[in-house]
Amino acid sequence: MSTEHNRADLGKDPARVSGMFDQVAGGYDRTNTVLSLGNDKLWRVATTRAVAPRPGQRILDLAAGTGASSVSLARSGAEVVAADFSPGMIAEGRRRHGGIPNLTFEQADATALPFDDDAFDTVTISFGLRNVVEPKKALAEMRRVTKPGGRLVICEFSHPTSKAFAGLYGFYNNRVLPLAAKVVSTNADAYDYLNESIRDWPDQPTLASWMRQAGWSEVAWRNLTFGIVALHRAINPSSEPR
């Protein structure tokens, strides 16, 4: 069996990104918990609360990976579609959670979603938008498949607001995380890319401006863990043309 590892770069070639996530699918959730010092679970709870899923709703969870976030949403009784670009992630999600009746898994490209217009009450994406080669196009696609008056919730790495904390965070990302990834990950190179993508990702106001450009309204965000992560929210206005 080949031991060659896929490693994406900031060009974010879709095939390389997908292949990289295919290779880390099995241990992805465990590795994230270790490398985030357990904060990933807190971020997931905050995202689920922001989505506020209810029975009768149809929710699209993009970049769902193995479906950990989707399971949290499905517990409400909402119909949840877990979508991811990586077939390996989708296969692992089906293996783990295929028995949940109101949760389905779909392979999907965020820039060309295989869903009808106005198909979902809410669209959410956690830690996936920065891996999309054309994030602005993805934001427009998310709006297309969201019902008028429907909601968007984005949980993504961002920029700490405190200079002192930003220095500590930078030291952890640049020095500690690569060493830890070599110990706990099946593909440490993948986490080098993820670290690069976090550094390269725009700040909170810039992402908010992209959302407005895509036609979303009532755009707002709140910082989690001192701005390491930001939770952006918006509404699909019912009167504006797409």
Side-chain angles (χ1 to χ4, degrees):
M1 181 182 291
S2 172
T3 58
E4 183 180 352
H5 286 156
N6 276 305
R7 186 202 189 280
D9 56 33
L10 293 180
K12 299 179 185 177
D13 174 72
R16 291 181 70 179
V17 171
S18 176
M20 181 188 72
F21 280 108
D22 285 350
Q23 288 187 331
V24 299
Y28 187 69
D29 295 326
R30 174 182 58 82
T31 303
N32 283 349
T33 296
V34 172
L35 297 183
S36 71
L37 307 179
N39 281 292
D40 64 316
K41 294 181 179 179
L42 300 176
W43 298 333
R44 189 177 304 131
V45 168
T47 304
T48 300
R49 286 177 178 164
V51 172
R54 300 189 308 274
Q57 288 185 328
R58 192 158 189 251
I59 298 172
L60 174 61
D61 187 14
L62 272 174
T66 61
S69 56
S70 310
V71 170
S72 298
L73 298 170
R75 288 193 185 111
S76 69
E79 181 186 343
V80 180
V81 177
D84 199 281
F85 192 58
S86 159
M89 286 286 192
I90 290 296
E92 184 67 17
R94 285 192 180 120
R95 186 185 69 78
R96 295 184 189 183
H97 309 300
I100 299 175
N102 56 323
L103 175 60
T104 56
F105 287 84
E106 299 266 356
Q107 188 178 351
D109 179 348
T111 63
L113 293 172
F115 307 111
D116 293 336
D117 294 357
D118 308 334
F120 298 95
D121 297 286
T122 302
V123 174
T124 183
I125 181 168
S126 295
F127 306 109
L129 188 59
R130 76 183 191 288
N131 296 318
V132 176
V133 66
E134 295 181 272
K136 294 180 182 179
K137 187 174 180 182
L139 288 168
E141 269 291 271
M142 291 177 208
R143 186 176 167 224
R144 178 186 66 78
V145 301
T146 302
K147 295 176 183 177
R151 301 168 61 238
L152 172 66
V153 176
I154 300 172
C155 185
E156 186 54 270
F157 286 109
S158 199
H159 293 251
T161 51
S162 156
K163 286 186 178 179
F165 187 78
L168 287 171
Y169 177 57
F171 176 81
Y172 176 77
N173 268 10
N174 297 331
R175 302 293 181 86
V176 179
L177 189 145
L179 295 174
K182 287 177 182 176
V183 175
V184 299
S185 173
T186 55
N187 182 356
D189 288 345
Y191 287 87
D192 285 343
Y193 156 72
L194 293 173
N195 197 3
E196 290 172 8
S197 71
I198 291 167
R199 283 199 302 267
D200 187 63
W201 187 246
D203 62 11
Q204 295 89 325
T206 303
L207 177 53
S209 72
W210 290 1
M211 293 164 72
R212 293 187 191 99
Q213 289 167 23
W216 295 95
S217 67
E218 300 181 40
V219 177
W221 75 84
R222 72 181 179 97
N223 291 320
L224 306 175
T225 319
F226 307 104
I228 286 178
V229 166
L231 202 56
H232 283 72
R233 304 176 305 284
I235 301 292
N236 183 18
S238 54
S239 56
E240 291 186 17
R242 295 179 197 273

